[in-house]
Amino acid sequence: MKRFLLPLAIFVVVVGFLGIGLTLNPREVPSPLVGKSAPEFALPQLHEPQQMLSLQDLRGKVWLLNFWASWCGGCKEEHPVLMQLAKTGEVPIYGMDYKDRRDEGIAWLQRWGNPYSVIAVDESGRVGINYGVYGVPETYVIDKAGVIRYKQIGPLDESILDKKIMPLVRELQQQ
């Protein structure tokens, strides 16, 4: 009987860890960039490619950076939420068209609407790599000093906006 106690104890510990793991949200992957300065970038804008958008242009305000693409199913899912947020004018949303063709990105926005203040084009995906993008859509809350304060992996929904992002944005805007 004693020879079964050790395997039984190991089994109970493994089941305990699995049970804890099942309660975690896989979209809440901790980002090593949260609390650190946002990576610098300077990229051509989607609608006016002769003009650039850079991190320096956005210093001094709280803003959202949303990585999206026309080929992304999750982006279509979250798009109505971004459109609604943009209508409120509470926080500017800057888009990063990620690994996408310029003409397809423009066509997608013409079809579904444009919630973004300005959109930069990350055609090579290099800026996405610097931001630790796992896949689109991903959204970052960036403060007035250019520090990443929150990262959302996957589509935004109203619950995430109401419970996490907008309270944080309002708090950061007060500082």
Side-chain angles (χ1 to χ4, degrees):
M1 185 70 174
K2 285 184 177 180
R3 70 180 194 183
F4 295 113
L5 286 180
L6 182 60
L8 179 63
I10 292 171
F11 176 76
V12 168
V13 169
V14 169
V15 168
F17 282 124
L18 288 173
I20 291 169
L22 290 174
T23 64
L24 300 177
N25 183 347
R27 295 188 185 272
E28 292 184 3
V29 177
S31 171
L33 293 178
V34 172
K36 296 184 179 169
S37 293
E40 295 287 337
F41 66 87
L43 293 171
Q45 296 181 14
L46 180 65
H47 291 97
E48 298 181 50
Q50 69 281 5
Q51 294 188 16
M52 303 292 278
L53 176 66
S54 73
L55 184 65
Q56 294 301 323
D57 299 334
L58 305 170
R59 295 236 189 244
K61 58 183 162 187
V62 178
W63 52 287
L64 301 184
L65 176 62
N66 178 253
F67 283 80
W68 66 279
S70 64
W71 46 262
C72 162
C75 300
K76 186 177 172 187
E77 179 183 329
E78 78 171 1
H79 203 69
V81 175
L82 292 175
M83 291 297 291
Q84 191 63 34
L85 177 61
K87 285 180 186 172
T88 69
E90 285 192 71
V91 61
I93 308 167
Y94 290 86
M96 188 68 71
D97 192 10
Y98 180 73
K99 293 186 174 181
D100 202 3
R101 290 184 37 195
R102 180 179 302 277
D103 59 331
E104 291 178 359
I106 291 171
W108 196 86
L109 291 170
Q110 287 173 342
R111 181 172 183 183
W112 302 109
N114 183 356
Y116 303 108
S117 300
V118 177
I119 303 164
V121 178
D122 184 17
E123 194 171 343
S124 69
R126 189 154 207 79
V127 171
I129 290 170
N130 293 341
Y131 275 78
V133 171
Y134 297 103
V136 287
E138 289 192 10
T139 304
Y140 297 79
V141 177
I142 301 176
D143 71 12
K144 295 174 183 175
V147 174
I148 295 174
R149 303 302 294 264
Y150 179 78
K151 176 182 180 181
Q152 170 64 35
I153 298 171
L156 290 175
D157 60 29
E158 290 181 15
S159 175
I160 293 167
L161 273 183
D162 293 343
K163 292 179 182 170
K164 293 184 179 175
I165 291 181
M166 290 315 297
L168 176 60
V169 165
R170 291 180 191 116
E171 177 188 328
L172 294 171
Q173 288 173 335
Q174 297 294 320
Q175 296 176 355

